Amino acid sequence: MTARLLTETPQLTVDEHLAAHGPPPFADTGNGTGGRAGDSPLITAVERSGLTGRGGAGFPAGRKMRAVAEAGRRAGPFHSQVGTTVIANGAESEPTSGKDKLLLSRAPHLVLDGVVLAAEAVGATRAFVCVHDDPGRLDEAIVSRERAGLNRVPIQVVTVPPGYVAGQETALISLLNGAGPRPTFVPPRPAERGVRRHPTLVQNVETLANIALIARHGPDWFRAAGVAEAPGTALVTVTGTVARPGVYEVPLGTTLGAVLDRAGGSTETPQAVLAGGYFGGWLTLPAAGGLPLTDQALRAAGGAFGPGVLIVLPASACPLAETALVTGYLASQSAGQCGPCRNGLPALAEALGLLAFGWAGDDGLHWTQQLLGLVSGRGACHLPDGTAGLAHSALTTFADEVRRHLQNGPCDRIHRPPVVPVPESPAPDAAGQAKRGAPA
Ligand SMILES: Cc1cc2nc3c(=O)[nH]c(=O)nc-3n(C[C@H](O)[C@H](O)[C@H](O)COP(=O)(O)O)c2cc1C
Ligand code: SF4
């Protein structure tokens, strides 16, 4: 199947982009054109396409766009002068994922077309592209589009301070509102009240690139790839012990084994795959190879699609040690404002560390399981849920390993360098100031 989002070309200039894709059509909205934003044909097309968000949660993109458009209409004429906002989430704070950086570096104009089209469709008056590091010389790309008349709403690039939770949608809104990138409790959801208390559409950059393609080619074209319950293609980052780690564009529903084969297959006897990244779950290999790559199927088996991450763990690695290291990193990323997260995640990381690297005893296992219950569902963002989900997945998928560790202490494999990439980065920048670009 021909790639839709990714090309082999290093970076398409605006002229190359227009030659490859043609000009972006108008979303035909109520944004100054006299129509009603909620009636946007683009929103209907995105709903029909079945496109789901590619940032991790997999929420239907058309439904979110409609909610924002309707919230903007309800807010009335005063609101429309101030403005609904679109945020393109290119933070990619998941350390195991590389797809958003690659997409922004190869096809920034496809993402920016999606930003403009989504903004028009929901009646937004401005847009922000949020990135940790700008992988696509976005400022230059925006200027070159200006000359080509493609920026039909003002677009500003905002640098997001480091940190795992900084890419969460309410953290981005908090940043754009002039505070640090700290998540806030919902409701109100961003669709109702976001930047400057106005309706805000937050979409992942890959989702927006797909919106740009759906605007051009329609929902049936989009559905021609993928499967009925998970249409389209997705960018998948494959890493761990595979011959050719990297980002692959694959039709959803492709089997997990076929995706690993595209990455050259495992270079060592495989043991498991971490499906969905840090908020995902472990699936044993080769059994999981036949699973279709859809969030539904992966979740039913104990994994997740998440932001499209597959990490192959060889038999020579200790899955408990790998999980403990990731959990330690996630605990270090707490924004520190919700008690169960601030206190519970370090305790969970310590308990898992003891299980993997020390002598936990039966009490240790019991305590770990108790902690899972104490942190789950107890934060403003899903950091505690995601961390507990990964830990739970390790305890159940590798129950035999847990028993062996409890009986015999740490295994020899803990001395192997970790397979799952874990940044050394310290706690997030609590002050959370954007280096540039926070709107006035
Ligand atoms: C702790 C945490 C970190 C997140 N980081 C990112 C991120 O870096 N990029 C992203 O697109 N979504 C991230 N998300 C998901 C966003 O909150 C949001 O759901 C997403 O940007 C919506 O876009 P989508 O519907 O197009 O996927 C994160 C969520 C959580 C809970
Ligand atoms: S759950 Fe944790 S990371 Fe999320 S907002 Fe609360 S303290 Fe911050």
Side-chain angles (χ1 to χ4, degrees):
M1 204 211 96
T2 321
R4 296 169 164 207
L5 297 165
L6 285 184
T7 54
E8 294 304 317
T9 327
Q11 179 173 117
L12 294 183
T13 64
V14 71
D15 292 336
E16 289 163 346
H17 165 73
L18 290 174
H21 294 284
F26 283 86
D28 189 20
T29 73
N31 181 23
T33 62
R36 281 162 33 115
D39 292 332
S40 159
L42 179 58
I43 294 181
T44 306
V46 176
E47 283 173 333
R48 289 198 181 136
S49 74
L51 171 67
T52 51
R54 303 295 198 234
F59 191 83
R63 203 191 304 166
K64 200 195 295 187
M65 291 170 77
R66 185 171 295 283
V68 173
E70 287 177 354
R73 280 215 310 249
R74 276 197 304 275
F78 167 71
H79 154 79
S80 62
Q81 289 162 18
V82 180
T84 292
T85 298
V86 168
I87 298 177
N89 192 348
E92 195 163 44
S93 46
E94 167 71 40
T96 59
S97 176
K99 55 115 181 161
D100 291 340
K101 287 171 208 73
L102 187 73
L103 179 65
L104 283 169
S105 68
R106 292 261 180 94
H109 293 289
L110 203 56
V111 174
L112 294 168
D113 282 352
V115 170
V116 170
L117 287 158
E120 287 177 332
V122 302
T125 52
R126 59 193 181 156
F128 299 97
V129 184
C130 294
V131 287
H132 283 300
D133 302 297
D134 181 349
R137 302 194 305 276
L138 285 166
D139 283 327
E140 278 174 43
I142 289 168
V143 170
S144 66
R145 292 170 65 83
E146 208 76 66
R147 287 196 286 269
L150 295 179
N151 293 341
R152 302 189 297 247
V153 293
I155 307 175
Q156 195 180 328
V157 180
V158 172
T159 302
V160 181
Y164 193 79
V165 299
Q168 196 268 354
E169 57 188 4
T170 61
L172 294 179
I173 288 166
S174 164
L175 178 71
L176 291 167
N177 281 335
R182 282 181 291 274
T184 53
F185 278 95
V186 292
R189 297 204 166 275
E192 292 288 332
R193 196 194 296 170
V195 178
R196 297 286 185 262
R197 301 172 73 83
H198 292 287
T200 299
L201 177 74
V202 187
Q203 302 275 199
N204 172 262
V205 288
E206 184 188 343
T207 316
L208 288 162
N210 276 305
I211 288 172
L213 292 173
I214 292 164
R216 285 174 166 94
H217 308 296
D220 292 341
W221 171 88
F222 183 76
R223 283 185 171 276
V227 289
E229 66 277 21
T233 62
L235 301 180
V236 180
T237 310
V238 189
T239 178
T241 48
V242 288
R244 292 188 299 275
V247 175
Y248 295 87
E249 181 172 6
V250 295
L252 287 168
T254 307
T255 62
L256 193 147
V259 180
L260 299 185
D261 285 348
R262 264 190 78 183
S266 186
T267 51
E268 293 184 37
T269 307
Q271 170 179 198
V273 59
L274 179 56
Y278 286 1
F279 281 7
W282 293 103
L283 304 170
T284 52
L285 287 174
L291 287 173
L293 212 63
T294 67
D295 194 46
Q296 215 178 5
L298 294 175
R299 273 189 196 282
F305 184 72
V309 171
L310 297 174
I311 307 167
V312 174
L313 191 76
S316 61
C318 172
L320 301 183
E322 301 281 340
T323 306
L325 291 173
V326 174
T327 309
Y329 166 77
L330 290 173
S332 79
Q333 297 302 297
S334 170
Q337 54 189 2
C338 314
C341 177
R342 188 180 57 231
N343 304 316
L345 292 192
L348 179 60
E350 195 185 330
L352 279 169
L354 206 57
L355 206 58
F357 298 105
W359 292 84
D362 285 343
D363 280 358
L365 177 59
H366 183 63
W367 172 230
T368 313
Q369 281 159 341
Q370 264 189 321
L371 284 167
L372 295 183
L374 289 174
V375 300
S376 295
R378 303 287 300 282
C381 77
H382 288 297
L383 185 71
D385 291 343
T387 312
L390 176 68
H392 172 77
S393 159
L395 295 183
T396 49
T397 310
F398 305 113
D400 290 346
E401 289 284 353
V402 173
R403 257 191 303 280
R404 271 195 291 276
H405 275 246
L406 289 174
Q407 277 165 12
N408 310 326
C411 63
D412 289 346
R413 293 170 300 165
I414 61 167
H415 303 297
R416 189 193 197 288
V419 174
V420 179
V422 180
E424 283 175 19
S425 72
D429 173 7
Q433 295 306 309
K435 278 186 254 158
R436 65 180 166 130

